[in-house]
Amino acid sequence: MSNKNYSFFQSVEDYFDNAASATKLPKGLLEQIKACNAVYQMRFPVKIGKNYHVIEAYRVQHSHHRLPTKGGIRYAMSVNQDEVMALAALMSYKCAIVDVPFGGAKGGVKIDPRSYEEADLQKITRRYTTELIRKNFIGPGIDVPAPDYGTGPREMAWILDTYTTFKNGEIDAVGCVTGKPVNQNGINGRTEATGRGVYYGIREAMSFEDDMEALGLTTGTQGKTMVVQGLGNVGSYTATISQKEGGMKIIGVAEYEGAIYNPDGIDVEKLLRFRKKTGSIIGFPGTKKLAKREDALELECDVLVPAALEQVITGANANRIKAKIIAEAANGPVTPDAEEILLKKGIMVIPDMYINAGGVTVSYFEWLKNLSHMRFGRLEKRFDQQTYENLVSLVLRLTGKTLSQKEHNFLTRGADEIDLVRSGLEETMITSYRAIRTILKKNRKVTNLRQAAFVCAIEKIGSDYISLGIFP
Ligand code: GLU
């Protein structure tokens, strides 16, 4: 493949075609899986101060093979139809890989959220939601948005409030959006979910001896070096959890204002506090500023985590990447021509549609919580605790041993919602990685993890269509 300027959707289609040839599905079915089912492009006016701004926005539902459709809403100046289509397609594949029973969707509003007051962002969000309601593009059984780049729990609460205003009395209305604040029918652990999932995925990938040996690495995350590009929600949780729970050394960080480096490791929690106070990562004690923020991508490290926007590793810089593993925490950070170069260099690329699926996985848990109208753990926590108490006291009586209070509490604790969410997420990331890896090892036409992830997704979606009787 030559060095070319890819449209984002085109690069997703290229990846798809490349993997489709390793499946046995008929051409018509593959075309149906690949196509975007519905694209809603809108323009609406919002009064900002004394002026009217005409806002350009989108919602794309890529695949209706399962409903509702699911995917975040992005607020960024880079939003355009091609980008939203690409992101919606990735959502379909992502959901299939992690067995989240939704079709893929994505929304985008072409604004720079930093240049609006909070009250104006609220007006824009409420108007956007109204447009979605008007066209039947939102609802707990239709299409369920969530946060993405430039949005968070605050925007999801505005969406919920707008939706329930119009749908007064709809019993499952709170399931119309996920990523809500915990006190507004959200779920504990959703905010950290994508970053935590990235860590679980990296940990799983690094647990296979043959794979690590091929990269010149030992197994395990302990002491391994990591560079993170983007300290937004995904990047910051990936970095802190990898550091605290995985013992990884974060040696480089890139953000909007520049990039910093410290071969001895950067304390990410302290760095986040420093950035909050000073508005920048530059000048963080013990770190060296790199000439350009893009230079962080080219640092020598074990794991590189692009966690910002798409198409940052291209045919132009792929040759200079020195990481052993790239974990695509962002959606679409590597273009197909770049991937070809990276694979030739022997770099392992853990694809976005698997590694960043933690967000939508926990969104699924939130949606289930909303439909059940009850938090996880409420029924069984005390019962489990009592059962463990009985077991522990039986063992103590039979053995004549004693336990400290701390040991006793540890052994008899019943699960809270956050424990169950993390456990479900960990299980999902481990099982899905193993499924993808098995395809890579067993299907002789599959040569890399992305292709394996696509094959996994295409086969699952394909089997849905076949069992619906739509395709023979
Ligand atoms: N925006 C996130 C993603 O790209 C989460 C989507 C969701 O939770 O629905 O996966």
Side-chain angles (χ1 to χ4, degrees), residues 201-226:
I202 293 172
R203 190 190 67 185
E204 187 57 19
M206 296 186 86
S207 72
F208 291 92
E209 210 169 328
D210 346 344
D211 302 355
M212 289 306 105
E213 225 173 77
L215 299 172
L217 286 172
T218 54
T219 54
T221 55
Q222 196 66 35
K224 301 290 183 345
T225 56
M226 177 184 268

Side-chain angles (χ1 to χ4, degrees), residues 74 76 78 83 149 229 306-312 330-333:
R74 170 172 294 199
S78 57
E83 182 193 60
Y149 190 86
Q229 181 238 7
L309 287 173
E310 59 267 15
Q311 301 188 322
V312 291
N331 288 309

